[in-house]
Amino acid sequence: MSILGRKESSATKADAGKYLITAANPDSALAEQYRTVRNRIRTALGEAGSIRFVVSSPLPGEGKTTSALNLAVSFAGSGGKVLLIDTHFRRPGLAALLDAKSWPGLTDGLTGNGKLNELVQETGLERIDVLAAGSPLPGTGDLLNHPDLAEFLEWAAEAYPVVIIDAPAVLDSSAAVMLAGRCDGCVLVLHEGRTGVQKVQEAKRVLELGKARLIGAVLNRSK
């Protein structure tokens, strides 16, 4: 879909301005690139109605969270509310970047410690809410198969015009494929110079085998 010039590493609240380039510098060329990707996603998924999609990558560390955040800002800038969902149970990052509480969140709701829709938080960014990954728990591998999550995603589709799920890497976890199958599809983030063609093809094949739609890809270029 596009080439974006930003390198992602472990993110904290202090990094928010650096990674949220679409909010910090909306007139920049990079912000315009994200708006272009937004428009292409919207065209691919239909101009009308709510959309739900997963942002993932073939391997960890290729820029998924940065892309999910900036796409959320771009969609919110076009006038609709956006819900971001962090499904990175091992390395959550969205809450810190959005100045939100890391828990309670998704893991808490899926283990009976609160209703998921009541755990959604407002953020400091206009028209963007977040469901954090939640409390760190052992054995979270099967949580995303919980029927409450499917019910929550249906609720989210009615409550928000755009739902974006920041998911683990396709080749590192089954989560992205499973989540994409419950949504409209998956956007793959690729890191120039790091993501080999073989890994891209393998990720594409895994998504297809899981009957998950590949919406498109974003090439994330380090500077």
Side-chain angles (χ1 to χ4, degrees):
M1 284 183 171
S2 189
I3 297 177
L4 306 175
R6 178 65 60 180
K7 184 178 181 180
E8 181 182 82
S9 59
S10 297
T12 65
K13 176 182 173 181
D15 295 318
K18 178 171 66 174
Y19 291 114
L20 277 167
I21 189 66
T22 45
N25 192 359
D27 296 325
S28 66
L30 184 55
E32 180 59 30
Q33 289 273 15
Y34 275 111
R35 287 190 288 270
T36 298
V37 174
R38 173 201 67 194
N39 293 341
R40 291 180 180 177
I41 291 172
R42 175 53 83 178
T43 298
L45 298 182
E47 296 294 336
S50 63
I51 60 174
R52 301 177 301 180
F53 65 92
V54 168
V55 177
S56 185
S57 60
L59 299 170
E62 295 179 299
K64 298 181 296 298
T65 298
T66 295
S67 294
L69 280 166
N70 284 284
L71 284 172
V73 174
S74 297
F75 274 104
S78 64
K81 288 195 68 175
V82 179
L83 174 63
L84 276 165
I85 303 174
D86 191 349
T87 61
H88 287 276
F89 296 146
R90 285 181 289 179
R91 295 187 62 190
L94 279 177
L97 286 169
L98 291 167
D99 198 15
K101 295 183 294 185
S102 297
W103 59 78
L106 185 55
T107 58
D108 303 277
L110 295 178
T111 52
N113 296 308
K115 294 183 178 180
L116 286 171
N117 62 317
E118 295 176 355
L119 298 178
V120 171
Q121 304 175 62
E122 294 183 347
T123 72
L125 296 174
E126 188 175 3
R127 293 189 294 274
I128 296 178
D129 293 345
V130 65
L131 177 62
S135 302
L137 299 172
T140 55
D142 293 327
L143 276 183
L144 295 178
N145 290 311
H146 199 291
D148 284 357
L149 179 57
E151 183 178 333
F152 172 72
L153 290 175
E154 291 300 318
W155 171 85
E158 295 181 5
Y160 294 88
V162 179
V163 178
I164 301 175
I165 300 176
D166 183 18
V170 172
L171 301 180
D172 193 47
S173 166
S174 61
V177 178
M178 185 272 290
L179 290 165
R182 292 183 174 181
C183 298
D184 297 310
C186 178
V187 172
L188 276 183
V189 178
L190 315 176
H191 193 293
E192 185 182 42
R194 181 184 299 173
T195 312
V197 173
Q198 183 178 354
K199 294 300 181 182
V200 176
Q201 293 173 337
E202 187 177 347
K204 181 175 180 291
R205 183 165 58 251
V206 169
L207 287 167
E208 290 173 346
L209 287 173
K211 301 188 184 306
R213 177 183 179 186
L214 177 58
I215 301 168
V218 172
L219 182 59
N220 185 36
R221 181 176 60 203
S222 64
K223 280 190 173 181

